[in-house]
Amino acid sequence: MVEPSPPMHPSPGPLALVMGGGGARAAYQVGFLRALARRSPELEIPILTGVSAGAINAVFLAAHPGSFQEAVEDLTQLWLSLSTEKVFRVDARTLAVNTSRWGLQLVSGGLLGRPRIRSLVDTSPLREFLSDALGVDEGPIPGIEANLDSGRLRALAVSTSSYSTGRSITWVQGEGIEPWARPRRRARMTKMGVEHIMASAALPLFFPAVQLGEEWFGDGGVRLTAPLSPALHLGAKRVLALSTRFHPTPREEDRPTTRGYPPPAQVIGSLLNAVFLDLLEQDGWRVQLINDLLRRLPPEERGGRRIVDLLTLRPSRDLGQLADEFELQLPRLFRFLIRGLGTRETKSPDILSFLLFEEPYISRLIEMGERDADARMGEIETLLGGADPSLFLTPPTAEPLSPQGVVEERSSQ
């Protein structure tokens, strides 16, 4: 049994955890967090930001009343209990009605097919699932305010895209925060609710937009050109960014994943990657470039700008190719419709990796996240350098996740 860890020593600056989007891919982030929680069960991360499915992880951690390890274990079980049916309706009637209405609107020039269809799938099951998990239906999510009052949490930020104005809106809950404004980007103070998560995770066309106030919002990755920006505006000096984008070698990048004309699934997958995954890599590059420039200047000439320590973690394997191995886990009718887009004609059907909310695939992502985090734990501990070394336990040997997500851990302590 591990004894409770002592409190952290004063850190070199506020730490932020940034979690990007990617639909079902966000389970990979849970694996990383699981590895970190084994090493530092009492770790406190004062700044949490999330976009799209990463917003689910950020809000859950921000609202949890227990320790970091307890929060991560509960988040793990939450993801392992997911299935496609708990995210969107996949019954034959709902899918048939939605697709036929879309077809009618297309061929009739919008004159037929009323009421107007809002998305390919109905995500009311996801809203119910999140409401149950977070213990709220309407109004603010309990737990976030308590963690802010206790000082464990400094700020929570969830990003969305306004279809009404074309701007990126980051919703922030915290004390003493000054909302910021940049070209096509704004921050708004709020008390976070389930609707904010649903809006941030509303994958364009597939999931319906969500109304917040007078505006309609969709997936936060659509307009968020600077994914690290919310964490930096909230005062972070150390940033741990969790990407779900595989970084191929130059040889792998030059290897085609399709032959002949690309099917719709390949085109959609490329768009999803460009919108939701690539920008985090580009923003990280900009931060490192600015860091290099600032280091060349004496502090008094930096104009109030600060050097930010950034560590980005990403998968060691292409999650699109991995999803192809689990395609048969999808509900039959939905799998049939997705195949109509050409998912069998590409070696890396990235669209599947966004929509494959099935336990075997989720488990594999969590396992990969744990392994990848363990492989880079030295870098992670360096970033968390302000922590008492005793917070980092000797890493236990973890067995693969069982179907129920239970892990047997063996430790010498």
Side-chain angles (χ1 to χ4, degrees):
M1 190 75 177
V2 177
E3 294 296 324
S5 299
M8 297 180 68
H9 292 318
S11 72
L15 172 67
L17 179 63
V18 175
M19 288 177 280
R25 290 174 178 239
Y28 173 83
Q29 300 169 352
V30 178
F32 164 83
L33 294 172
R34 208 161 189 266
L36 181 58
R38 287 202 307 270
R39 301 295 295 273
S40 182
E42 299 298 329
L43 180 65
E44 292 184 2
I45 304 176
I47 300 172
L48 296 168
T49 77
V51 59
S52 192
I56 298 174
N57 295 336
V59 172
F60 190 90
L61 294 178
H64 199 280
S67 67
F68 181 59
Q69 185 175 47
E70 292 169 340
V72 171
E73 283 305 308
D74 286 346
L75 181 61
T76 302
Q77 298 306 318
L78 182 74
W79 274 92
L80 289 170
S81 68
L82 263 181
S83 63
T84 306
E85 290 88 347
K86 292 181 180 179
V87 177
F88 49 85
R89 298 192 184 281
V90 292
D91 59 281
R93 182 183 181 280
T94 300
L95 290 177
V97 168
N98 285 354
T99 53
S100 62
R101 283 179 177 172
W102 257 12
L104 283 172
Q105 287 186 22
L106 180 64
V107 301
S108 68
L111 298 178
L112 299 176
R114 301 285 181 175
R116 185 173 298 278
I117 195 71
R118 293 183 173 182
S119 61
L120 179 62
V121 297
D122 175 0
T123 56
S124 56
L126 177 60
R127 194 195 187 289
E128 182 178 349
F129 180 80
L130 292 175
S131 295
D132 290 342
L134 295 168
V136 64
D137 185 22
E138 301 289 344
I141 296 170
I144 298 176
E145 200 68 35
N147 286 331
L148 287 169
D149 291 341
S150 70
R152 294 175 54 188
L153 181 67
R154 176 171 176 171
L156 167 68
V158 169
S159 295
T160 60
S161 299
S162 173
Y163 292 146
S164 302
T165 66
R167 294 186 299 188
S168 174
I169 302 297
T170 296
W171 304 90
V172 180
Q173 186 170 352
E175 298 297 333
I177 305 297
E178 285 293 330
W180 60 90
R182 295 292 184 271
R184 312 307 301 168
R185 291 188 282 129
R186 298 287 188 277
R188 295 181 186 174
M189 302 303 298
T190 191
K191 291 187 181 295
M192 216 70 68
V194 173
E195 295 304 315
H196 294 90
I197 308 175
M198 293 295 295
S200 185
L203 195 65
L205 299 182
F206 285 93
F207 293 0
V210 176
Q211 187 173 15
L212 297 172
E214 299 299 318
E215 299 177 46
W216 288 89
F217 292 86
D219 200 297
V222 174
R223 304 287 307 194
L224 189 60
T225 55
L228 299 174
S229 173
L232 302 183
H233 282 294
L234 293 172
K237 293 186 178 179
R238 297 171 295 154
V239 177
L240 190 55
L242 305 186
S243 172
T244 59
R245 178 75 151 119
F246 171 66
H247 189 67
T249 65
R251 178 175 295 182
E252 289 171 328
E253 281 187 313
D254 292 337
R255 191 178 301 148
T257 57
T258 60
R259 292 182 179 180
Y261 193 84
Q266 184 72 15
V267 176
I268 294 173
S270 296
L271 290 174
L272 292 176
N273 285 336
V275 171
F276 300 109
L277 307 181
D278 293 348
L279 292 177
L280 181 59
E281 306 290 329
Q282 297 170 16
D283 202 24
W285 177 82
R286 286 193 293 267
V287 168
Q288 300 291 20
L289 179 62
I290 294 173
N291 281 344
D292 291 340
L293 294 174
L294 291 176
R295 290 189 181 100
R296 300 171 186 268
L297 297 174
E300 63 272 12
E301 296 182 12
R302 294 174 182 173
R305 295 176 177 84
R306 64 185 184 276
I307 295 173
V308 177
D309 294 326
L310 170 66
L311 179 61
T312 302
L313 282 296
R314 57 181 63 84
S316 56
R317 183 179 173 188
D318 187 324
L319 301 188
Q321 293 183 7
L322 178 64
D324 190 47
E325 300 177 13
F326 296 90
E327 188 247 11
L328 290 176
Q329 300 293 327
L330 283 169
R332 180 176 297 179
L333 180 57
F334 185 71
R335 182 173 73 242
F336 174 78
L337 293 174
I338 289 294
R339 284 184 176 183
L341 297 175
T343 56
R344 308 304 294 168
E345 301 172 37
T346 173
K347 297 178 181 178
S348 182
D350 288 325
I351 187 175
L352 284 181
S353 67
F354 282 77
L355 300 173
L356 220 166
F357 294 95
E358 295 296 329
E359 189 275 330
Y361 181 59
I362 296 298
S363 292
R364 184 68 66 85
L365 292 180
I366 294 175
E367 291 170 6
M368 184 187 300
E370 289 186 84
R371 289 195 302 269
D372 291 349
D374 284 334
R376 300 187 64 183
M377 193 58 70
E379 298 171 77
I380 297 168
E381 291 180 3
T382 298
L383 183 73
L384 305 180
D388 185 330
S390 64
L391 281 175
F392 295 98
L393 310 175
T394 301
T397 302
E399 300 294 338
L401 288 168
S402 72
Q404 291 75 36
V406 178
V407 174
E408 294 292 329
E409 295 182 353
R410 298 187 294 272
S411 174
S412 59
Q413 300 194 31

